[in-house]
Structure formats: structure tokens, C-alpha cells
Amino acid sequence: MAAVTSSFSLSTLSHCSQRKNLSLSSSTRFLPPNSESFRLAPNFSIQYVAVRASDSASRVVVRCSSSLSDIPTVSETKLSFLKAYKRPIPSIYNSVLQELIVQHHLMKYKKSYQYDPVFALGFVTVYDQLMEGYPSDEDRDAIFQAYINALNEDPERYRADAQKLEEWARAQNSTSLIEFSSREGEVEGILKDIAERAGAKDSFSYSRFFAIGLFRLLELANAMEPTILEKLCAALNVNKRSVDRDLDVYRNLLSKLVQAKELLREYVDREKKKREERSEPQKANETIAKCLGEHQISALK
């Protein structure tokens, strides 16, 4: 008996169905499309094993499988975040956080995704800019923990790697920043690995957070000339046009955040003033009542 194994995408399924004597294994079940258990991962594939025996016709056993079957949905990631941090978040922060976690989920679960410290630096930069001025530092840290944990990643690693790159960048200049490949060091090794993977194309997943991480490196090294960004992108094998586009989006986001936070601050100040104005007559009445009470007590004596 000889066995032949092959695999093919969904688009070629029709070719298999045209074979004669096709039978399904007893463990194969078909579920309706609206079933809770019916979910196809992005790289879903079908395998078949053709078994030929001398005394019987060829038989094809079809098996469905996906290496990404454990990938959570966006809704599940958002629910994990809400379960981990149950306190209310002001709408100005919450709306942006919800949008970020959707984008982050899609980045994280791409087939070519691989964590790297520049990506981490980019996200930490965005998060800290967003949450600047948050009423409670403790809550801000708790939200960060809940957010990263919801994506099944390590918040401590994000913070540690971001700090490591920030400290390194502060010690660089325009020249040393783009000549990382000619030097040895921990961060230099990280950048070399990124350049190698980006050059291979299929093992590197470019993202907006990565672009912001690059921008932060330039900012801390005081190397903001456009030519430096171009050279750094070339050294890392990254498309500068994509970086420019995503940095424009980032700058627009920061501008909107500044305006929104200013409006929020004005609203809080107005509400505080209103409460103070409402409390003044009450305090006056309490003072009068206290004085009258003291006067009546004196008269009784």
C-alpha cells in the first residue's frame, strides 16, 4: 500500500470534488456557516490522503486543518481587555484605546508578525502620548497592563525594551544612528536582525507602530533631518514612503488629541466652577443657621 499526501487552498477544492470514488472520513462533519464552531483562519487549508490498494479503488480522505485555529477574534481581544480592567475610562481616552486595540490585534495576528523592540517602542510612545494627563498614574499603568495582556503579550517586556532603545538612542547622533550595521552591541544586533528580516520580505511585518518607533529613535538622537530618516529606512530595508505616510497619520492623531484634551480640560474647569458657585449659597445658609443657633442658645442662657 502506498500513500500520497498533498495540500491545496480552498480555491482548488472544486478540482478535488471532480475525482471519482471520493469519500469522507467518519470524523469529518459539516457545520452550517452560522455555527459558533465554524470559523476559517486566514491560512485555512485542506489536506487529502490518497490511499491505493491492489484490491480496491482509490480512496481520498479529506482533512480540514488550520495552524491558526487558536487565534482569538477582535471581539474576544477587546472583551479580554474589558475583563482585565473593569473601571470606567473617560470617553476621550476610551474611544482611541478601542481603535488602537483593534489595529494592534490585526498587526499581532498577521502570519508574518514577529515581536521586535522597535515595534514595542512605537506602541509605548503612542500609549504614553495618548494617556498623558490621565487623572490617575496608577490607573494608567493598570490599563497598559490589561491592554497588552489582552493581546497575549508581556507588558513588562514592552516597557523594558522601549526603555532600552530610548537610552541607546539618546547616546547616538545622526551618523552613528544610521551606521548601526558596522558596530556591535545589543541594540545594534536588534536592528541588524530587523534589517535581515525586512530584506527577506516574507519574515517581516511592517506596521504603523514600527514607523513610530523609528521616529522616536530619531527624535531622541536629535537627528530629525529628512535625509537621516531616508538613510535609516534604507539601512533597515524598510519602505520610506510607507513610513512617511504613517508618521503623517501619527502627527494628525497627536494634534487631535491635544485639541480634545484641551476641550476636556475646559469642560472640567467649567464643571468645577459651577459646583463651587452652587456650594457658595449653601455654605452661606449653613453659616447663617449656625449663627442663629448660637444666638438662640445665648438668649436662653
Side-chain angles (χ1 to χ4, degrees), residues 281-292:
Q282 182 178 355
K283 289 180 180 179
N285 291 335
E286 290 174 353
T287 302
I288 294 172
K290 183 179 180 181
C291 291
L292 289 174

Side-chain angles (χ1 to χ4, degrees), residues 31-211:
L31 298 173
N34 60 353
S35 169
E36 289 292 333
S37 301
F38 190 86
R39 182 183 302 160
L40 300 183
N43 68 340
F44 178 86
S45 64
I46 291 184
Q47 288 189 327
Y48 66 90
V49 180
V51 181
R52 185 181 302 277
S54 58
D55 59 347
S56 63
S58 296
R59 183 168 62 89
V60 178
V61 179
V62 180
R63 298 188 183 95
C64 299
S65 64
S66 172
S67 61
L68 298 181
S69 58
D70 294 333
I71 290 181
T73 64
V74 172
S75 297
E76 288 168 342
T77 297
K78 293 173 74 173
L79 183 60
S80 295
F81 170 66
L82 294 174
K83 286 181 177 178
Y85 188 83
K86 299 179 180 180
R87 300 185 62 181
I89 300 174
S91 59
I92 182 177
Y93 300 98
N94 190 48
S95 59
V96 181
L97 276 173
Q98 293 298 323
E99 183 179 346
L100 279 181
I101 204 167
V102 171
Q103 294 180 16
H104 204 153
H105 173 101
L106 297 176
M107 295 173 192
K108 161 72 188 293
Y109 292 109
K110 284 182 66 175
K111 184 178 180 180
S112 57
Y113 172 80
Q114 181 176 325
Y115 170 89
D116 70 64
V118 176
F119 178 95
L121 174 61
F123 173 73
V124 169
T125 299
V126 172
Y127 183 85
D128 288 346
Q129 289 280 357
L130 166 63
M131 303 299 283
E132 183 181 12
Y134 198 78
S136 167
D137 291 343
E138 183 179 350
D139 287 343
R140 182 174 57 200
D141 293 339
I143 292 170
F144 181 86
Q145 295 275 338
Y147 179 107
I148 300 298
N149 283 327
L151 290 155
N152 295 314
E153 293 198 307
D154 183 358
E156 302 302 329
R157 186 184 186 189
Y158 267 70
R159 283 292 184 190
D161 284 345
Q163 183 178 357
K164 183 191 306 176
L165 262 64
E166 287 177 344
E167 291 174 353
W168 178 84
R170 289 189 180 97
Q172 306 306 310
N173 55 46
S174 299
T175 303
S176 64
L177 191 65
I178 61 177
E179 294 180 350
F180 64 84
S181 60
S182 63
R183 304 197 315 275
E184 297 298 325
E186 184 179 6
V187 175
E188 285 83 357
I190 291 170
L191 297 178
K192 290 176 188 178
D193 176 68
I194 291 172
E196 182 178 350
R197 289 190 291 111
K201 304 299 182 184
D202 58 345
S203 59
F204 176 76
S205 180
Y206 169 83
S207 68
R208 184 168 297 165
F209 291 150
F210 182 86

Side-chain angles (χ1 to χ4, degrees), residues 11-23:
S11 62
T12 62
L13 181 59
S14 60
H15 298 299
C16 178
S17 65
Q18 294 171 1
R19 293 177 178 268
K20 295 182 179 180
N21 302 320
L22 177 67
S23 63

Side-chain angles (χ1 to χ4, degrees), residues 211-228:
I212 296 168
L214 291 185
F215 177 81
R216 183 61 175 156
L217 292 177
L218 295 171
E219 187 178 43
L220 293 171
N222 196 25
M224 299 297 289
E225 301 89 341
T227 55
I228 302 302

